[in-house]
């Protein structure tokens, strides 16, 4: 069965600093990978996705993620965070023909001035 | 233009009551989902429908019954509500099967059972 691990439950970053949120997946087939963001009291918004091709993918709000098959990772990065980036971030995985998305447990991002 | 909408946004009710949550998507998607998010933010899939056909039915108490009158709507009815049903319920939709895999989420319905 596929699984997703987000090892960091909570991360605090200063505004303007760089950010990296970790995501590791476990699945035998080629994964399709996603990052979602959930602002307080809101639904989940898709930040970016990886299906195939270039392993560095760009998303909305200045986020990017890099797929590393050898490390089974899909880490999310942003060079300079803004206070509005404070939210819960979820990594998710599926694969071809699979109707389900498997979500990680989320990483809560706090931004300090 | 709201892509995936849910009503109500908040629902407070007593144990033993029956309640429904409605979901509509205007994205023209074929597949819709219900998720439950617990107090620790863990997201668990409950059901999925494709073109009004049930395709995913996770281990959910049979007090929960989804209904899809058409492919743009997926409602969730809950009988005999229990304290443990308190959570945020999200509806999501996805494009045609085998074509795309990203899901688009509604704003959520916060259910509180007292």
């Amino acid at each position: 069965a596929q699984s997703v691990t987000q090892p960091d439950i909570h991360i605090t970053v200063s505004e303007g600093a760089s950010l990296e949120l970790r995501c590791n997946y476990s699945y035998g087939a080629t994964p399709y990978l996603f990052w979602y963001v959930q602002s307080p009291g809101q639904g989940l918004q898709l930040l970016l996705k990886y299906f195939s091709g270039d392993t560095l993918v760009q998303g909305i709000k200045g986020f990017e993620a890099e797929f590393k098959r050898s490390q089974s990772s899909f880490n999310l990065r942003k060079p300079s965070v803004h206070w509005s980036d404070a939210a819960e971030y979820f990594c998710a995985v599926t694969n071809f023909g699979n109707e389900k998305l498997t979500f990680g447990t989320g990483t809560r991002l706090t931004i300090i001035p | 233009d709201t892509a995936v909408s849910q009503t109500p946004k908040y629902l407070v009710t007593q144990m033993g009551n029956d309640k429904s949550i409605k979901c509509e998507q205007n994205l023209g998607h074929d597949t819709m989902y219900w998720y439950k998010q617990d107090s620790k933010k863990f997201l668990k899939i409950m059901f999925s429908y494709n073109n009004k056909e049930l395709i995913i039915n996770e281990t959910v108490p049979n007090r929960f019954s989804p209904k899809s009158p058409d492919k743009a709507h997926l409602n969730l009815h809950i009988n005999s509500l229990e304290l443990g049903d308190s959570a945020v319920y999200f509806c999501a939709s996805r494009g045609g099967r085998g074509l795309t895999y990203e899901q688009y989420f509604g704003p959520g319905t916060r259910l509180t059972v007292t």
Side-chain angles (χ1 to χ4, degrees):
Chain A
Q2 57 192 15
S3 66
V4 178
T5 302
Q6 293 182 246
D8 303 306
I9 296 174
H10 185 201
I11 284 183
T12 300
V13 176
S14 297
E15 190 168 14
S18 63
L19 171 71
E20 182 168 26
L21 301 181
R22 295 184 291 165
C23 172
N24 293 97
Y25 66 90
S26 172
Y27 197 69
T30 299
Y32 298 159
L33 295 152
F34 307 84
W35 275 100
Y36 284 84
V37 60
Q38 183 180 19
S39 298
Q42 304 295 316
L44 279 74
Q45 181 182 22
L46 180 67
L47 283 176
L48 47 76
K49 62 188 178 186
Y50 172 79
F51 289 167
S52 64
D54 192 346
T55 56
L56 183 64
V57 293
Q58 303 296 321
I60 62 171
K61 305 186 180 191
F63 285 93
E64 66 177 26
E66 186 170 12
F67 171 59
K68 293 185 177 180
R69 185 185 298 275
S70 61
Q71 298 177 19
S72 297
S73 69
F74 188 57
N75 294 348
L76 182 71
R77 301 195 294 247
K78 186 170 184 177
S80 176
V81 297
H82 185 260
W83 64 266
S84 60
D85 293 325
E88 191 88 20
Y89 290 79
F90 293 93
C91 183
V93 65
T94 189
N95 65 294
F96 179 77
N98 192 340
E99 298 291 343
K100 295 184 190 180
L101 271 183
T102 299
F103 283 87
T105 49
T107 297
R108 182 160 62 98
L109 176 64
T110 298
I111 307 295
I112 55 176
Chain B
D1 289 345
T2 303
V4 183
S5 60
Q6 295 178 228
T7 54
K9 187 164 176 63
Y10 300 97
L11 187 52
V12 181
T13 189
Q14 292 183 327
M15 283 197 315
N17 285 348
D18 303 338
K19 290 293 178 186
S20 292
I21 306 172
K22 295 186 176 182
C23 178
E24 176 181 2
Q25 55 94 4
N26 62 6
L27 297 167
H29 287 169
D30 293 331
T31 307
M32 297 183 72
Y33 302 82
W34 277 111
Y35 288 86
K36 179 180 180 181
Q37 186 177 48
D38 62 23
S39 59
K40 295 185 177 180
K41 302 287 189 181
F42 183 67
L43 275 161
K44 180 176 168 51
I45 189 168
M46 302 173 68
F47 302 103
S48 177
Y49 271 74
N50 178 268
N51 275 322
K52 302 194 295 177
E53 175 190 352
L54 182 65
I55 56 172
I56 296 174
N57 187 352
E58 293 292 283
T59 309
V60 176
N62 58 15
R63 298 182 295 103
F64 290 79
S65 54
K67 283 189 172 55
S68 181
D70 56 61
K71 74 174 191 177
H73 296 84
L74 180 61
N75 304 323
L76 183 65
H77 188 77
I78 315 170
N79 290 327
S80 303
L81 278 154
E82 299 177 358
L83 292 176
D85 298 332
S86 295
V88 181
Y89 292 84
F90 286 102
C91 177
S93 72
R94 201 196 87 174
R97 291 175 89 174
L99 297 178
T100 64
Y101 289 85
E102 60 266 32
Q103 296 180 18
Y104 294 88
F105 284 77
T109 296
R110 181 173 294 277
L111 171 65
T112 303
V113 183
T114 62

